[in-house]
Amino acid sequence: MKKLRENEHITGYVFSAPFILGFLIFTLYPILSSLYYSFTNYNLMEAPRWLGLANYERMFMEDAKIAKSFQVTFTYVFASVPLRLIFALFVAMILNASTRAVGLYRSAFYLPSLIGGSVAVAIMWQQIFGDKGLVNSFLSLIGIPSSTSWIGNPSTALWTLVALSIWQFGSSMIIFLAGLKNIPRDYYEAASVDGANAVSRFFKITIPLLSPIILFNLTLQTISAFLTFTPAYIISRGEGGPLDQTLLYSLYLYRKAFSHFEMGYASAMAWIMLLIVGIFTALIFKSSTAWVHYESKGD
Amino acid sequence: MTKSGRFTYHILVGLLALGMTYPILWLVASSLKPNNEIFATAYSLIPSRLEFANYVTGWQGFAGTTFATFFKNSFIIVIISTIGAVISSALVAYGLARTRFFGQKFWFACMMVTMMLPHDVIIVPQYVMFAKFGWLSTFKPLIVPHFFGAPFFIFLMMQFIRTIPRELDEAAKIDGCSKYGIFFRIVVPLIVPALITCSIFSFYWRWDDFINPLIYLNNPEKYPVSLALKLFLDGESLNNWGGMFAMATLSLLPVVIVFFIFQKYIVEGISTTGLKG
């Protein structure tokens, strides 16, 4: 008996070995060294030089660009995540109302989110919102001639990125659609009999029953929005312009690390990012007790 | 719904769907337009004549490196890292879900934390580490880490393995099957749908990956398609819009083909785990 149990310990470690090794080498060691680098000046050529908290002080005291980058990133996250989720829920409810051709529509709405993270789509977006692109072409067709590039104009550049993000609501929509299908139809029928109109049915039945899924979506989408990189890089050709209006945090971090080779400073930036994402995730979960409704399985 | 109500519904939803897919259709249409026509009649989806020459000029690539090389590089990176990720994740998922060993809960917690961890945090120190290994300008940083299990896939497969009745394991054990035998003969055949779902998502993520090739590769002969597309925006070839649109369209083709073949697995994968497509 004892021998058998020991065997299982070994077997467990044999199966789990890839993850354990990978975790130690490719995750834990890098995280610890990142923490160390964040307190140093390190340009890859010479050994890291200890600075104490200087990198962090510089971030909050001296670096005006990072303040801009925070502003741009927060605007992007707070605009794109709620709008994307609202769109996703809206379209999911529309599709849930029909019984036919849902598969076809679902594919059409999902396609953008399937390919949306690619360089090809970022390039496409850049051309659509360019000075002679699709958007301006349509505008002149309906009598509003416009020749400025939406990408090159500092007041609209960031909003083209927000639009790109909203356009990719498909994966959230599919999750919502699965959730809506799980709400028993008799709930709505019973409410109708009691005289509840469509609006109150939505707020009293749909939203509470979907709230765990909304929470889940909100958390994942917020984290990934904070980390958006590729479209900002492509649309601004790696610069974050015009006037740093598309300098999302990940792009600025990339530039610090791989254009300026300030590895210490970039590591400090990464830790602040981790802290911010952690705080937001915690806030979302903390607030969830007030608005997320879990059906008790017991009754 | 009444008949006319249904009709209005399909008109409206159809229009919305057309609006959503219009940019993609526009990309494809632009890839088939003559260069001087792309922006002259940008609103139109119909080329005055089909210009397949864009695909020829685009395919020629940059400075003697053609898109044949870029596609080959992409497929090498994507296929090898996907095989590595799926096999290693299956092993780990079984280990964490079905064997009881010292520290199992601890390692499971580590996996969940890794799953939540923003990639930005480890990108700099990983670069430093791979530089020390002498792996810069090779495919190794893009492939090797995937052979150590991907937390998302491990999690998804664990969910799957937990639905397999333990009685099956017990029966196999009585018949003299070892844990290894149970894994290969019973668990693997039963989690094939999960393996397929993970393979598809791994394929997508690796195919679209941009920041890692951008950081690690500096010789265009090693570029995957995602990175090669960026070259169209750099300097000299700035006027070959048609070629750029043609290669952008081609780069999306594998993703779209995989989607239409494996739609069922993708929709299930997203619905059950919230994997982002």
Side-chain angles (χ1 to χ4, degrees):
Chain A
M1 193 61 200
K2 191 162 180 283
K3 192 162 168 275
L4 204 78
R5 281 233 310 273
E6 278 172 9
N7 262 338
E8 189 152 335
H9 287 299
I10 295 170
T11 320
Y13 270 96
V14 169
F15 277 108
S16 310
F19 171 74
I20 294 172
L21 284 175
F23 174 76
L24 296 175
I25 302 168
F26 298 114
T27 306
L28 188 64
Y29 172 71
I31 285 185
L32 295 177
S33 47
S34 165
L35 189 60
Y36 166 65
Y37 295 148
S38 78
F39 296 111
T40 66
N41 181 356
Y42 185 28
N43 62 5
L44 282 180
M45 299 298 156
E46 301 149 41
R49 198 160 43 80
W50 185 260
L51 289 179
L53 287 171
N55 283 329
Y56 293 93
E57 281 167 14
R58 192 177 136 207
M59 278 176 70
F60 292 103
M61 306 297 194
E62 294 160 38
D63 193 345
K65 251 189 163 165
I66 208 167
K68 181 77 197 168
S69 176
F70 273 126
Q71 185 216 326
V72 168
T73 309
F74 279 113
T75 311
Y76 174 78
V77 173
F78 290 135
S80 66
V81 174
L83 285 173
R84 189 197 260 204
L85 292 186
I86 290 168
F87 245 83
L89 182 57
F90 177 70
V91 176
M93 287 180 63
I94 292 179
L95 291 191
N96 196 42
S98 167
T99 43
R100 258 184 268 172
V102 169
L104 184 69
Y105 292 137
R106 192 177 57 193
S107 305
F109 291 121
Y110 179 60
L111 199 59
S113 96
L114 176 73
I115 59 174
S118 65
V119 173
V121 164
I123 286 177
M124 175 191 90
W125 214 252
Q126 189 193 40
Q127 300 309 322
I128 285 177
F129 285 94
D131 51 354
K132 284 177 286 182
L134 180 61
V135 171
N136 281 346
S137 171
F138 260 124
L139 284 178
S140 65
L141 204 64
I142 57 167
I144 317 169
S146 156
S147 58
T148 53
S149 159
W150 299 77
I151 304 284
N153 182 341
S155 57
T156 53
L158 181 60
W159 298 99
T160 64
L161 289 178
V162 172
L164 177 57
S165 166
I166 298 169
W167 184 59
Q168 298 166 44
F169 65 76
S171 60
S172 302
M173 179 203 70
I174 288 185
I175 304 176
F176 282 138
L177 203 52
L180 286 171
K181 292 224 182 303
N182 283 334
I183 302 179
R185 293 229 170 231
D186 13 325
Y187 284 22
Y188 291 106
E189 280 154 24
S192 296
V193 171
D194 288 347
N197 62 16
V199 176
S200 71
R201 285 202 299 269
F202 175 73
F203 285 106
K204 296 270 162 63
I205 300 174
T206 313
I207 292 286
L209 288 180
L210 275 186
S211 57
I213 299 175
I214 296 175
L215 170 71
F216 178 78
N217 259 317
L218 184 65
T219 315
L220 279 191
Q221 303 285 349
T222 306
I223 294 175
S224 78
F226 270 115
L227 305 174
T228 306
F229 174 80
T230 306
Y233 182 97
I234 294 291
I235 283 179
S236 70
R237 303 201 175 169
E239 303 284 338
L243 300 177
D244 297 331
Q245 276 299 338
T246 58
L247 192 64
L248 291 182
Y249 198 84
S250 287
L251 180 54
Y252 190 45
L253 194 156
Y254 164 84
R255 290 184 58 77
K256 277 292 174 205
F258 301 105
S259 302
H260 305 162
F261 292 101
E262 295 184 38
M263 296 302 184
Y265 191 68
S267 298
M269 284 183 68
W271 277 89
I272 293 298
M273 165 58 81
L274 184 65
L275 198 67
I276 291 174
V277 170
I279 289 173
F280 271 91
T281 313
L283 280 180
I284 292 172
F285 273 93
K286 194 121 182 94
S287 78
S288 72
T289 49
W291 59 272
V292 174
H293 171 94
Y294 289 103
E295 249 185 310
S296 49
K297 288 262 156 68
D299 43 41
Chain B
M1 261 190 263
T2 62
K3 200 165 184 186
S4 71
R6 209 181 304 141
F7 183 72
T8 327
Y9 174 90
H10 283 292
I11 292 282
L12 289 177
V13 178
L15 274 177
L16 192 61
L18 179 69
M20 283 290 292
T21 40
Y22 202 91
I24 305 165
L25 300 174
W26 181 79
L27 173 71
V28 178
S30 298
S31 76
L32 293 167
K33 284 178 181 176
N35 235 329
N36 56 10
E37 195 183 311
I38 294 175
F39 293 110
T41 56
Y43 53 84
S44 164
L45 283 187
I46 302 150
S48 64
R49 62 190 161 83
L50 289 181
E51 184 71 297
F52 289 103
N54 290 332
Y55 283 82
V56 178
T57 60
W59 189 263
Q60 281 162 358
F62 312 92
T65 312
T66 69
F67 265 81
T69 310
F70 302 139
F71 272 96
K72 189 191 81 196
N73 293 339
S74 270
F75 278 115
I76 291 174
I77 296 168
V78 170
I79 291 172
I80 299 178
S81 55
T82 294
I83 292 172
V86 173
I87 293 177
S88 59
S89 300
L91 289 168
V92 176
Y94 178 72
L96 290 177
R98 273 295 211 267
T99 53
R100 252 171 285 161
F101 60 93
F102 178 73
Q104 176 194 21
K105 288 214 170 90
F106 171 76
W107 294 116
F108 177 74
C110 288
M111 188 207 71
M112 295 305 285
V113 170
T114 310
M115 191 159 80
M116 302 288 177
L117 195 73
H119 184 231
D120 282 38
V121 180
I122 50 175
I123 204 157
V124 167
Q126 269 195 351
Y127 180 86
V128 174
M129 184 170 78
F130 292 142
K132 281 181 188 154
F133 289 176
W135 285 7
L136 300 188
S137 287
T138 71
F139 290 159
K140 284 178 196 158
L142 309 177
I143 292 176
V144 176
H146 298 286
F147 277 71
F148 294 85
F152 249 127
F153 300 157
I154 297 172
F155 184 67
L156 188 141
M157 291 185 203
M158 281 180 75
Q159 304 290 74
F160 236 84
I161 292 172
R162 283 185 179 138
T163 64
I164 302 172
R166 279 196 183 262
E167 289 75 29
L168 274 180
D169 293 36
E170 298 299 326
K173 208 161 141 190
I174 291 163
D175 289 347
C177 228
S178 66
K179 281 273 173 193
Y180 305 96
I182 295 172
F183 174 71
F184 286 108
R185 295 207 198 129
I186 294 173
V187 174
V188 169
L190 287 174
I191 62 168
V192 167
L195 299 179
I196 295 176
T197 305
C198 292
S199 306
I200 295 165
F201 279 100
S202 170
F203 174 84
Y204 285 160
W205 292 338
R206 302 278 64 82
W207 186 267
D208 278 350
D209 187 17
F210 176 65
I211 189 165
N212 288 307
L214 178 69
I215 290 169
Y216 290 112
L217 304 175
N218 47 30
N219 177 1
E221 281 176 26
K222 289 250 163 76
Y223 279 12
V225 177
S226 59
L227 197 50
L229 284 175
K230 183 186 83 93
L231 295 176
F232 278 110
L233 300 172
D234 300 344
E236 49 189 304
S237 44
L238 205 61
N239 294 319
N240 189 6
W241 303 114
M244 179 176 85
F245 284 127
M247 290 306 109
T249 305
L250 269 193
S251 82
L252 296 176
L253 208 56
V255 174
V256 174
I257 291 174
V258 167
F259 173 68
F260 281 109
I261 298 176
F262 295 103
Q263 232 187 86
K264 194 185 102 197
Y265 295 97
I266 296 167
V267 172
E268 267 168 28
I270 302 168
S271 316
T272 52
T273 62
L275 285 174
K276 206 196 152 308

